[in-house]
Amino acid sequence: MAEEAKLPAFFYRMSPRAQQCYLKSDAIDRYNFVPSGAALARTQTLLQALESGSLTAINRAAQHLVDEICRLMRITPLRVEIRGARPRNSRSELHGIFYPHERPPRMVVWMLTAQRRDIVRPKTFLRTLLHELGHYLDYAFLNLGDSFHTRGFFKRESFLVRSLYVAPDEGPRAAAKPARPS
Ligand SMILES: [Zn+2]
């Protein structure tokens, strides 16, 4: 079938249970989530803190935003840790990581590029934060039991970015608009 042909090769090497989880993840393209005014405001605060470059302020703002999203989704919050320069090896640099088995679970996101130590672009930073949160949501909100990088996973990540991100030039009026899933 054409649809199955798009699955990655490793899918066929996974256990039936993992395959089931993968397909379930792939089929969900958004969350039942409408951001509150507080979530939108906290996103803006985070992006402003990022601009300031203060790691303390960014950590506080990121935790604050994630707490609000978890509150809206009625799930236990996780620990958010923002660090400086991204670790890198010869081929790539690490943007973020999620530790599902810590109690509480924890995510780490880096805010500076590895080589030039530039602050990561705001929308990229938010996307990475929501990507790592997405791994947590696979367990805590969608109860998938595991977390894979499926097409559905990336659609859900984009859904969260669209729901929360407002470009700086769109101003506070735009920020007050409810999110429209497209
Ligand atoms: Zn990931």
Side-chain angles (χ1 to χ4, degrees):
M1 285 192 301
E3 196 57 28
E4 280 187 7
K6 285 189 220 143
L7 290 164
F10 70 80
F11 174 83
Y12 299 96
R13 297 193 295 270
M14 297 195 302
S15 71
R17 211 172 138 246
Q19 286 185 340
Q20 215 176 15
C21 166
Y22 189 99
L23 292 176
K24 214 170 146 188
S25 167
D26 206 23
I28 305 169
D29 61 3
R30 66 185 60 194
Y31 302 101
N32 183 11
F33 170 76
V34 179
S36 59
L40 293 168
R42 288 175 187 197
T43 305
Q44 290 305 305
T45 305
L46 171 63
L47 298 180
Q48 281 156 16
L50 182 69
E51 218 174 322
S52 81
S54 154
L55 208 47
T56 313
I58 297 160
N59 265 282
R60 197 185 305 123
Q63 182 72 60
H64 219 197
L65 169 61
V66 168
D67 285 351
E68 174 64 6
I69 297 171
C70 290
R71 189 189 68 80
L72 291 168
M73 291 186 162
R74 297 170 197 273
I75 54 174
T76 315
L78 73 164
R79 276 177 56 211
V80 181
E81 217 177 291
I82 312 298
R83 293 189 192 159
R86 290 170 175 169
R88 74 194 284 255
N89 59 26
S90 53
R91 279 175 306 152
S92 62
E93 48 188 72
L94 190 58
H95 293 206
I97 194 163
F98 172 62
Y99 298 97
H101 304 299
E102 292 187 6
R103 288 293 167 264
R106 177 168 62 109
M107 69 157 109
V108 178
V109 174
W110 283 270
M111 60 164 281
L112 300 176
T113 60
Q115 212 155 12
R116 296 184 48 198
R117 312 244 154 177
D118 290 329
I119 296 177
V120 176
R121 285 170 51 212
K123 199 171 180 181
T124 307
F125 179 80
L126 182 66
R127 181 174 287 278
T128 305
L129 185 85
L130 296 172
H131 176 103
E132 301 309 332
L133 178 65
H135 284 305
Y136 176 59
L137 297 179
D138 278 359
Y139 294 90
F141 189 65
L142 298 176
N143 294 310
L144 296 175
D146 207 338
S147 186
F148 295 103
H149 288 138
T150 61
R151 287 165 304 176
F153 179 88
F154 288 110
K155 284 181 193 164
R156 295 194 292 280
E157 173 193 304
S158 293
F159 167 79
L160 284 181
V161 174
R162 280 201 308 278
S163 300
L164 291 165
Y165 181 77
V166 178
D169 54 4
E170 288 181 47
R173 271 197 63 201
K177 274 194 305 191
R180 285 161 309 176
S182 56

